[in-house]
Amino acid sequence: MTQSTSPEPARVAVSTVIFSLRRTDDSAPAELMLPLVRRTRDPFDGLWALPGGWLDPAEELEDAASRTLAETTGLSASYLEQLYAFGGVDRSPARVVSIVYWALLRADEVDAQVAAHAAQGDAPENVEWFDAASLPRLAFDHNEIVEYALWRLRSKVGYSRIAHGLLPPEFTLAELREVYESILGRRLDPANFRRQVEGSGTLFPTDRFRTGSHRPARLYRYDPDVELAERGPLTARH
Amino acid sequence: MTQSTSPEPARVAVSTVIFSLRRTDDSAPAELMLPLVRRTRDPFDGLWALPGGWLDPAEELEDAASRTLAETTGLSASYLEQLYAFGGVDRSPARVVSIVYWALLRADEVDAQVAAHAAQGDAPENVEWFDAASLPRLAFDHNEIVEYALWRLRSKVGYSRIAHGLLPPEFTLAELREVYESILGRRLDPANFRRQVEGSGTLFPTDRFRTGSHRPARLYRYDPDVELAERGPLTARH
């Protein structure tokens, strides 16, 4: 293990992984994507990086993540969950411990926020959305951070209602299956999927149907008693 | 929300929550306990706190947690898992972000480590084990950290083989039930518990039996293919 001999104490930074399901065009399947910011200075000048920045000494961790996310991408999320603290000695030329937060944003939320910034003429620069499954070489250890976030997302989708964060309040089983397929990165058998989901007891069928070019499909809701965020006793900010 | 105006950047510390099942005497039920260290200087002079200390700039986070755990309690764990980063503005007079690690130690591992230090004459001072369910007022936000660790432990015990960390490689169903009862803080019906565990597919019965003052009880093993730690792609240190 390489040990640096930096005499400087570690500095604290925050970074944010925002996942959303987006389509490049209407006929393409939705892909799990995330916004990245192109660095304009060293280290890693010109490479893409997660939104983030330094922690202000008088600022709560989650506030710092929200602020730097807004400053760099113009995006906001109603709730950021702490993902992990990355503090490897060699992840940056200086010693930096990054507290990484994450959130899921619905595509329509993203579109509305992007449109609002465009209307105000303050669209952020140097931001692009990338397919989470095929990223370029990112700055620092950010490829590894995204890989860890994807693993956590895939683990959680199996036992929690986390997919809800990517769906409107009412959705069809085909829409729910598309979310799972995007997260898991593979096709699911529609009949098996329907059976498993209906047997899980976490969904409520509604009396409403999605109509359009296909035959009408029943709309479902999640059981609101199932907790979305796994915060436990952490009700305040930490 | 109170905002301090400290001009000093945040410093990074590490703390460790070690859970073990221990008995105060042979006839008492095992209790979920953790080691605490009495502070001998301000802030919070005289109060009990989690083992921990400052991150050295050239030291990996997990190494810092292992080192400070050993320095303050004489204990070591084969693996420390990152629990959460606590960074509230008001948790300490100075701004401190604490990366908290945790581990489960079997009672016989603890006993062996304590005995080895006693034999070498370097038993740590100011360390005591406390019942996790009835702690005094601790230093900093450490009551809140332990409460969060207990919540995570109770959440995980339901869907993972985390209880294994508190058991020898082979154990009776009564011993396994005692672990669950200690973690969940309530009695479980023996017949229901046996049915659920045998139906879970995560345990293997062995051909061996525990004999002693009671009637012989079959010994079980966990399925080794079930991953103990939820590290995902984090194979190296971070």
Side-chain angles (χ1 to χ4, degrees):
Chain A
M1 179 171 47
T2 311
Q3 295 263 327
S4 79
T5 51
S6 159
E8 295 292 320
R11 291 182 68 188
V12 180
V14 291
S15 291
T16 307
V17 181
I18 298 290
F19 285 126
S20 189
L21 277 188
R22 295 164 69 81
R23 289 171 213 285
T24 43
D25 65 78
D26 282 352
S27 64
E31 284 168 352
L32 195 64
M33 302 190 77
L34 75 165
L36 296 173
V37 182
R38 194 200 298 268
R39 289 185 58 83
T40 56
R41 59 173 180 273
D42 277 327
F44 302 108
D45 188 13
L47 291 198
W48 295 89
L50 292 168
W54 298 111
L55 172 69
D56 183 277
E59 190 178 31
E60 299 290 346
L61 291 173
E62 188 183 327
D63 291 341
S66 294
R67 170 181 60 78
T68 56
L69 176 66
E71 286 172 357
T72 55
T73 67
L75 295 170
S76 65
S78 58
Y79 167 64
L80 293 172
E81 184 177 348
Q82 194 184 105
L83 177 69
Y84 202 79
F86 290 81
V89 166
D90 297 318
R91 61 188 296 273
S92 173
R95 183 71 194 274
V96 180
V97 175
S98 284
I99 318 295
V100 179
Y101 283 79
W102 67 330
L104 307 178
L105 281 184
R106 298 198 316 270
D108 62 303
E109 294 176 295
V110 172
D111 292 343
Q113 293 181 18
V114 169
H117 283 291
Q120 290 164 23
D122 65 350
E125 294 174 357
N126 293 315
V127 177
E128 276 181 29
W129 286 79
F130 287 77
D131 181 348
S134 57
L135 293 178
R137 158 78 171 105
L138 304 183
F140 307 106
D141 55 353
H142 290 190
N143 288 90
E144 197 173 13
I145 293 176
V146 174
E147 193 188 341
Y148 178 74
L150 283 168
W151 173 78
R152 279 277 290 269
L153 184 62
R154 289 175 186 135
S155 305
K156 290 183 79 164
V157 81
Y159 62 85
S160 78
R161 52 173 261 187
I162 194 168
H164 179 73
L166 295 166
L167 285 166
E170 299 191 351
F171 46 84
T172 67
L173 289 185
E175 289 164 351
L176 181 63
R177 179 165 47 82
E178 187 176 44
V179 170
Y180 275 77
E181 288 176 342
S182 303
I183 290 174
L184 298 173
R186 58 187 166 85
R187 300 293 95 176
L188 299 171
D189 177 72
N192 279 342
F193 182 78
R194 170 183 293 269
R195 206 160 33 237
Q196 283 180 14
V197 164
E198 289 181 339
S200 71
T202 60
L203 286 191
F204 286 138
T206 73
D207 296 332
R208 289 172 291 283
F209 289 81
R210 173 94 69 226
T211 54
S213 55
H214 301 287
R215 67 187 170 99
R218 186 181 292 279
L219 290 165
Y220 288 76
R221 303 183 65 85
Y222 266 108
D223 180 346
D225 292 339
V226 180
E227 195 60 46
L228 176 56
E230 295 193 307
R231 277 208 138 173
L234 297 182
T235 49
R237 284 146 182 271
H238 290 86
Chain B
M1 179 170 49
T2 312
Q3 295 263 324
S4 78
T5 52
S6 159
E8 295 292 321
R11 292 182 68 187
V12 180
V14 292
S15 291
T16 307
V17 181
I18 299 290
F19 286 126
S20 188
L21 276 189
R22 294 164 69 81
R23 289 171 214 284
T24 42
D25 64 78
D26 282 353
S27 64
E31 285 168 351
L32 194 64
M33 302 189 78
L34 74 165
L36 296 173
V37 182
R38 194 200 297 269
R39 289 184 59 80
T40 55
R41 59 173 179 271
D42 277 326
F44 302 107
D45 187 13
L47 291 197
W48 295 89
L50 292 168
W54 298 111
L55 172 70
D56 183 277
E59 189 178 32
E60 299 291 346
L61 291 173
E62 188 182 327
D63 291 342
S66 293
R67 171 182 59 79
T68 56
L69 175 67
E71 286 172 355
T72 55
T73 68
L75 296 169
S76 65
S78 58
Y79 166 65
L80 293 172
E81 183 177 348
Q82 194 186 104
L83 177 69
Y84 202 80
F86 289 81
V89 166
D90 298 319
R91 61 188 295 272
S92 173
R95 184 70 194 275
V96 180
V97 175
S98 285
I99 318 296
V100 179
Y101 284 80
W102 66 328
L104 307 179
L105 281 184
R106 298 198 317 271
D108 63 302
E109 293 177 295
V110 172
D111 292 344
Q113 293 182 18
V114 169
H117 283 291
Q120 290 164 23
D122 64 350
E125 293 174 0
N126 293 313
V127 177
E128 276 180 28
W129 285 79
F130 287 77
D131 181 349
S134 57
L135 293 178
R137 158 79 171 103
L138 305 183
F140 307 106
D141 55 352
H142 290 189
N143 289 91
E144 200 172 9
I145 293 176
V146 174
E147 194 187 341
Y148 178 73
L150 283 169
W151 173 79
R152 280 276 290 271
L153 184 61
R154 289 176 185 136
S155 305
K156 291 184 80 164
V157 81
Y159 63 84
S160 78
R161 51 171 259 188
I162 193 168
H164 179 73
L166 295 166
L167 286 167
E170 300 192 349
F171 46 83
T172 67
L173 289 185
E175 288 164 350
L176 181 63
R177 179 165 48 83
E178 186 175 45
V179 169
Y180 275 76
E181 289 178 339
S182 303
I183 290 174
L184 298 173
R186 57 186 166 86
R187 300 295 95 174
L188 299 171
D189 177 72
N192 279 342
F193 182 78
R194 170 183 293 269
R195 207 160 32 238
Q196 282 180 16
V197 164
E198 289 182 339
S200 71
T202 58
L203 287 191
F204 287 139
T206 72
D207 296 332
R208 289 172 290 284
F209 289 81
R210 173 93 71 227
T211 53
S213 55
H214 301 287
R215 68 189 171 98
R218 186 181 290 279
L219 290 167
Y220 288 76
R221 303 183 64 87
Y222 267 107
D223 181 347
D225 291 340
V226 180
E227 194 60 46
L228 177 57
E230 296 192 305
R231 278 209 138 171
L234 298 182
T235 49
R237 283 144 183 272
H238 289 84

